[in-house]
Structure formats: structure tokens, C-alpha cells
Amino acid sequence: MSRLITLIITVYQGLFNVKTTLLVSVFGVSYHCRHQPSCSVYVRRQIEQNGTIVGLWRGCVRVFSCW
Amino acid sequence: MLGITELFSSVLLEINTVVGNLGLTLILFTLALRAALLPLTVPSIKAQGKMRQIQPELSKLQKKFGKNKQKLQKKQFELYKKHNVNPLAGCVPQIIQLGILIVLFRALTTFLTPDNLGSTSRFLWLDLARPDSSFILPVLAGASQFILALMIAPGGEIRDTVPNKSKSKQVQQANRQEEGMAQMAAMMQKQSIYVLPIVTVFFSTQFPAGLALYWVVTTVFSIGQQYVLSGPGGITVYTQRARHWLGSKYFNAPR
């Protein structure tokens, strides 16, 4: 399970430019990550350290608290 | 979600009734939408440049307060406030915008149907309710997408690759795995600059030409906005690379 999520996160990171270009095309808003490490790297590390459920939960908390 | 789709569709219909030309309706709709978004977009583009400037300071904070998350977050926010970084650039606004993007796509595809528009769908040589068989708009959509992707390319690099200095074998192995993943993602990112315009051309040939017209107008607007606010961006790097490559291939070739 954790390997599948790690793969999904890697694909998301690979498609980062696609997402950014689409959003800049349509809305013109540029993005930068305010966290270090970025949320995708953070979730992957959390999953490795604390397991899938806890890692995913912590990742969701971080993503949905980033305004 | 349906309500917002209908709202966009009804706005398009209203403009079309007043203007009486579908092409101009789509151009006006796009320009009005982008003008309405300007108060959000201008600070965000400026903030992107500022974020690049304060990146070393952020790294220092990370090293200093890495173990105390609350303090780190507090110090980060203080730094953002000091440099007046746009607060609307987080993950949640991006998720909301992805949702609006889907709604906008649905509204345009619902609006741009031959049944809905009848004989009023002509604009220049195009029938905006059907795919552009001359491929001019799809190619323009792909080309503008490519230019924009090159301009914003420097912001998309993969960060956070861990330097493999740890003495623990377990940590070293984890770091190697992470570096491998980061390299794979970085490779996909580089290729996406070229793949996305091709995908745009393909999709533009499959959907009504009005959608391709919308895409060209909004992307050209973004290119202009990006150029005015933060310059040519990654285009400079890619132009230099292309010049270097052409120079070494045609002028310094061994005889």
C-alpha cells in the first residue's frame, strides 16, 4: 500500500509542471511552496516513518491547513 | 458545482446576446475573467519572485528550528509577512482553482454545442461549435502553451533531494530511494514541458474550436502578464541552450 502511495506521489511530482502550467494558463496565478520540505516529500517521509494511515493523515492536515 | 457551471453558461449566453458574435463573446468573456482575477494574480507573480529571493533565509530557518514545528511555522510566517508574500498561494486555493477549472471546462463544452448556438457559431473561417479542421487554432493553442511552459519552467524544479551524508546504512538506503524517486519526478517534469503542448494540440482537435479559442486567448494573456511582471523567465535559459547547441552543431563542427 505504502509503495503504491509513494508511486502516486512521484507521479504527482512529475506532473507538477503540468498542474502549474494549466493553472497559470487559466488563472495566471503563480505558485510557490511555503513549506520545506514540500508537502509531497513530507507525506512520503511520514509514511516511511509512521506508516501509511498516520503519514497520510499528517499529510492531509498539512495540505488542508495551507492557505 | 452544477450551479456554478450554469452561472458561467448563462453569463456566456448573456454576452453572446449583446455582442451577437460568438468569437468576440469568448474573447470578451476570457478577458473579463482574467481582468477580474488580476488583483489576485499580480501579487502572486510578484510573490513568486520574492520567494526565490528569500529561499536562502527559509533554508536557514529550517536548519535552525527544524525540530520545533510550531516555532518554525511562526518564523516562516513572520518572514512572509516581512517580505509581503501573497497568502493566497497555498495548497487549498490551488485545489479550489482546479475545481473551478473543471467547472469552466464543463460550462464551455455545454455552451459550445451546435444545438445551443444554431447558426450563430461562425467566427472568421471557423465554426466554433465544432472542432477546427484547419488545425490553426489547435497549433496556436499548443504553441502558446509551450511558450508559457518555458517561461515558468524555473519554478518547477524538484527540491528537497537529501544529501546522502548519513552514517546509518538504513538512512543512506532511504535517501538513495528518495533521490531515485526525485530523479524520476524531475525527468517527468522536464518532459512535461514538451508533452503538455502536444496534448493541448490533440485535445484542441477533439473539442469545439471555441474551447481552443478560449485557450489561446487565456494563455496569450498569461504570457503577456508573466512577461510584464517577471520577464521572460525560463525562455532565456532555453534560448541560450538552443543557441549553444546550434552553434556547436553548425559552426564548431570538426572538419
Side-chain angles (χ1 to χ4, degrees), chain B residues 175-205:
Chain B
N175 285 351
R176 268 199 295 274
Q177 204 180 353
E178 195 165 289
E179 279 175 26
M181 289 287 188
Q183 276 170 5
M184 186 179 146
M187 198 178 70
M188 280 174 74
Q189 281 194 9
K190 274 185 187 170
Q191 287 172 352
S192 73
I193 293 174
Y194 307 102
V195 173
L196 184 61
I198 296 167
V199 174
T200 306
V201 173
F202 174 75
F203 273 100
S204 301
T205 59

Side-chain angles (χ1 to χ4, degrees), chain B residues 244 246-255:
Chain B
H244 182 74
L246 285 170
S248 62
K249 196 170 172 67
Y250 293 107
F251 300 110
N252 299 326
R255 291 178 189 179

Side-chain angles (χ1 to χ4, degrees), chain B residues 7-222:
Chain B
L7 177 76
F8 277 129
S9 294
S10 57
V11 169
L12 281 163
L13 271 171
E14 284 295 324
I15 300 173
N16 198 30
T17 314
V18 176
V19 176
N21 181 309
L22 185 62
L24 288 178
T25 299
L26 286 169
I27 292 168
L28 280 176
F29 174 75
T30 315
L31 294 178
L33 197 67
R34 295 304 302 271
L37 286 168
L38 273 178
L40 292 180
T41 57
V42 173
S44 85
I45 292 173
K46 285 183 178 169
Q48 196 186 29
K50 281 181 195 163
M51 277 298 283
R52 280 193 204 130
Q53 284 171 10
I54 64 168
Q55 206 60 46
E57 285 183 66
L58 279 173
S59 302
K60 276 183 198 168
L61 286 180
Q62 177 74 27
K63 275 181 194 163
K64 201 171 173 183
F65 303 105
K67 285 178 184 171
N68 187 343
K69 284 178 189 173
Q70 279 186 331
K71 192 154 190 183
L72 175 67
Q73 215 163 21
K74 197 185 160 201
K75 291 281 174 190
Q76 280 177 338
F77 275 108
E78 278 173 11
L79 190 67
Y80 295 142
K81 207 175 169 183
K82 186 181 157 194
H83 291 271
N84 197 22
V85 174
N86 178 32
L88 269 165
C91 296
V92 178
Q94 281 189 60
I95 295 166
I96 294 169
Q97 286 181 1
L98 282 169
I100 295 174
L101 180 65
I102 295 165
V103 169
L104 198 59
F105 172 77
R106 280 182 59 178
L108 282 166
T109 46
T110 314
F111 175 69
L112 294 164
T113 51
D115 299 340
N116 206 5
L117 297 163
S119 59
T120 61
S121 60
R122 306 285 318 170
F123 179 63
L124 301 174
W125 73 96
L126 297 158
D127 182 353
L128 293 175
R130 295 175 203 286
D132 179 10
S133 54
S134 67
F135 294 104
I136 293 172
L137 270 182
V139 170
L140 281 176
S144 53
Q145 192 75 77
F146 182 58
I147 293 167
L148 185 65
L150 287 181
M151 285 178 94
I152 61 175
E157 69 270 12
I158 286 274
R159 294 154 292 121
D160 309 323
T161 307
V162 185
N164 216 348
K165 289 176 185 166
S166 176
K167 285 178 184 172
S168 156
K169 278 189 177 177
Q170 208 179 353
V171 176
Q172 273 189 5
Q173 200 184 352
N175 285 351
R176 268 199 295 274
Q177 204 180 353
E178 195 165 289
E179 279 175 26
M181 289 287 188
Q183 276 170 5
M184 186 179 146
M187 198 178 70
M188 280 174 74
Q189 281 194 9
K190 274 185 187 170
Q191 287 172 352
S192 73
I193 293 174
Y194 307 102
V195 173
L196 184 61
I198 296 167
V199 174
T200 306
V201 173
F202 174 75
F203 273 100
S204 301
T205 59
Q206 303 299 309
F207 288 97
L211 199 66
L213 178 67
Y214 165 78
W215 202 254
V216 172
V217 176
T218 192
T219 311
V220 169
F221 192 100
S222 291

Side-chain angles (χ1 to χ4, degrees), chain A residues 3 6-7 10-39 41-42 44-46 48 58 62-67, chain B residues 34 37 41 44-45 47-48 51 55 59 62 69 73 77 80 85-87 89-92 94 97 101 145 148 152 156 159-160 162 178 181 185 188-189 192 196 214-215 218-219 222 225-226:
Chain A
R3 279 187 186 175
T6 307
L7 184 70
T10 308
V11 172
Y12 163 77
Q13 288 179 327
L15 294 175
F16 183 84
N17 273 355
V18 174
K19 180 201 75 177
T20 309
T21 312
L22 284 179
L23 290 181
V24 175
S25 278
V26 179
F27 300 104
V29 184
S30 294
Y31 296 99
H32 49 263
C33 194
R34 5 168 93 213
H35 294 292
Q36 256 194 333
S38 60
C39 291
V41 174
Y42 173 80
R44 202 166 58 204
R45 286 182 191 165
Q46 286 295 321
E48 279 164 15
R58 289 189 178 167
R62 184 158 141 170
V63 167
F64 287 102
S65 60
C66 180
W67 280 87
Chain B
R34 295 304 302 271
L37 286 168
T41 57
S44 85
I45 292 173
Q48 196 186 29
M51 277 298 283
Q55 206 60 46
S59 302
Q62 177 74 27
K69 284 178 189 173
Q73 215 163 21
F77 275 108
Y80 295 142
V85 174
N86 178 32
C91 296
V92 178
Q94 281 189 60
Q97 286 181 1
L101 180 65
Q145 192 75 77
L148 185 65
I152 61 175
R159 294 154 292 121
D160 309 323
V162 185
E178 195 165 289
M181 289 287 188
M188 280 174 74
Q189 281 194 9
S192 73
L196 184 61
Y214 165 78
W215 202 254
T218 192
T219 311
S222 291
Q225 186 180 268
Q226 196 77 20

